[in-house]
Amino acid sequence: MAKIPGKLALHGTVLGAGLLPLGVLLFGALTDRLDANPIEHITHSTGKWAIRLLLLSLAVRPAQRWLGWSWALPLRRTLGLLAFTYACLHFLTWLVLDQFFDWEAILEDVAERRYITMGFAAFLCLVPLAITSTRSWIRRLGRRWISLHRLVYAAAVFAVIHYLWQVKADWLPPAIHAAILAALLAARFRFRTRPVSVAQSPGGS
Amino acid sequence: MLIRQAPEIRSSEITDPGLYFRRREFLRGLAAAGVTASLPAMAGLPGSASAATPALERKLDFRSPGPFATDETWTDRDDATRYNNFYELGTDKGDPKRNAHRLVTEPWKVTIDGEVAKPGTIDLEDLIRPHPLEERIYRLRCVEAWSMVIPWVGFPLGDLLKRFQPTSRAKYVAFESILDPEHLPGQRRNVLDWPYVEGLRIDEAMHELTILAVGMYGAVLPNQNGAPLRLVVPWKYGFKSIKSIVRIRLLETQPPTSWNISAPREYGFYSNVNPAVSHPRWSQKRERRIGEWRKRPTLPFNGYADRVASLYAGMDLNKSF
């Protein structure tokens, strides 16, 4: 029984920390403290946090394998849903505040600006994952749920490319995110291949 | 969104520009006389305006209203001085203001050379002194699809160039910003090829709308806005209006320009504001005026077409973007 309050506290802490950037943003918006271009500020901030939280959710499995953090596994859903929350806010900021429902401009952006196409694709990948994140959907889909949720890799790759393709001159910030994503994917790839290689060479070290 | 006009400046607050730009001579004179130690007690003395006084409190004397003024509402002064692209001071919009103190503007010399009869390197004071200052309230359109309305204080670039007597071979003007990686944090990384360079065709440089600015909002330019001397070409995207100029060269051939070197597909030599030619990654049809929520349509040549379109007669602006 002692485990449950611990779990709740863990989820609560992660949820609270994850919502902190949103709180800062809301506080800034309400007190007129965002910079001179608030719409751009909100767009950039929500976009960056969506990517960071997505990367964090992808870091959980490697953390369990390499550091033995089994307690962290249930956090994947919390982190994933937080990432989706920021992605929604990011998408809505663009749709409503930036374009103000100018459908012609919106369609032109999605079709012709490849970084927006990429961002839109990343967002679309996240939608079914968020919808099927409940316990009943996990039960209903069974093994297919696991296959479906591999979409998270596509979402993360698309999201980081979306970030990279907007760069005017300074590649460093998106490059750091890309490097982290590459490391996380490489770590996974190693887990997959390791048991196989062990099986193939039982006498190996 | 609060948009206010700059406060009216009482004439008692205005520093004579000649005196302001001769302030170092003035200070040297004071030092020689052994009175420097008592300077703080002489606050309010125009000559004592120094780095300790914020630029925006150092008022200038200038003709106002100047010519070609737009009657649109000025961009809030705080916004115009905290939302800047000045990569020498950092790539975030807020970095230039945060790092403004790292730009050392005193002493400041400008070299004018190349195809001129009278080349030379002269102190900023001597460069500016012969030119009466005037206010130019211009729209500023950034290539990133935001815009401002800024009351600059400056003088026509053409008047300055004439003083140095361009030769008949002078077809282009090349500008160079300060190179000081020791102080400028942005120049420690090769985000762009330093120093920042820009260029104009000679007819663009001699055009009546093209000015060198030394101030904005009635006062000396803050460092983050390109102190102490910057170009303002209102019908071109903002990055053409090079900041913190140390060299002006007249040339027979078209000079390289920083953003064109960095991404030739995205930034051309001309970079005239043109809603019909998209940046490869975003539309230039509309812009967000800083301080407004809804976007507004972008005008050809940033609304200065009647004065400058003739400069480009016969050119394909889709190719010469």
Side-chain angles (χ1 to χ4, degrees), chain A residues 46 86-96 106 110 119-120 123:
Chain A
T46 50
Y86 282 96
C88 282
L89 291 169
H90 181 67
F91 178 72
L92 286 172
T93 305
W94 171 72
L95 201 73
V96 181
I106 288 166
V110 173
F120 191 63
F123 179 70

Side-chain angles (χ1 to χ4, degrees), chain A residues 32-40 97-100 102 105 108-109 112-113 115 164-172, chain B residues 79 82-83 85 87 91 93 143-144 146 189 191-192 259 267 278-283 285-286 288 290-291 293-295:
Chain A
D32 199 17
R33 260 172 240 212
L34 303 181
D35 70 22
N37 195 344
I39 296 175
E40 181 190 71
L97 294 181
D98 191 51
Q99 302 287 1
F100 203 75
D102 181 342
E108 187 188 309
D109 268 1
E112 290 181 19
R113 323 268 172 237
Y115 83 91
L164 275 167
W165 278 354
Q166 293 168 61
V167 167
K168 267 183 79 197
D170 189 358
W171 291 90
L172 190 60
Chain B
D79 285 348
R82 67 173 174 159
Y83 187 77
N85 279 324
Y87 281 16
T91 51
K93 293 285 188 298
V143 75
E144 296 165 341
W146 53 266
R189 288 177 48 218
V191 174
L192 291 170
W259 279 102
Y267 311 100
S278 288
H279 183 283
R281 289 182 281 156
W282 58 84
S283 168
K285 280 181 203 157
R286 295 178 302 155
R288 173 162 293 112
I290 296 301
W293 286 89
R294 299 286 300 275
K295 289 181 179 176

Side-chain angles (χ1 to χ4, degrees), chain B residues 68-128:
Chain B
F68 318 116
T70 167
D71 57 6
E72 290 165 88
T73 311
W74 299 4
T75 297
D76 183 89
R77 193 182 73 169
D78 288 338
D79 285 348
T81 55
R82 67 173 174 159
Y83 187 77
N84 308 103
N85 279 324
F86 193 4
Y87 281 16
E88 285 83 341
L89 294 174
T91 51
D92 272 356
K93 293 285 188 298
D95 286 344
K97 183 174 182 179
R98 260 192 297 281
N99 296 323
H101 61 282
R102 294 175 181 266
L103 173 63
V104 183
T105 60
E106 291 181 51
W108 195 273
K109 288 177 187 297
V110 181
T111 299
I112 291 153
D113 59 357
E115 297 293 343
V116 285
K118 295 178 165 178
T121 297
I122 60 173
D123 279 335
L124 183 69
E125 295 93 295
D126 300 321
L127 187 85
I128 292 164

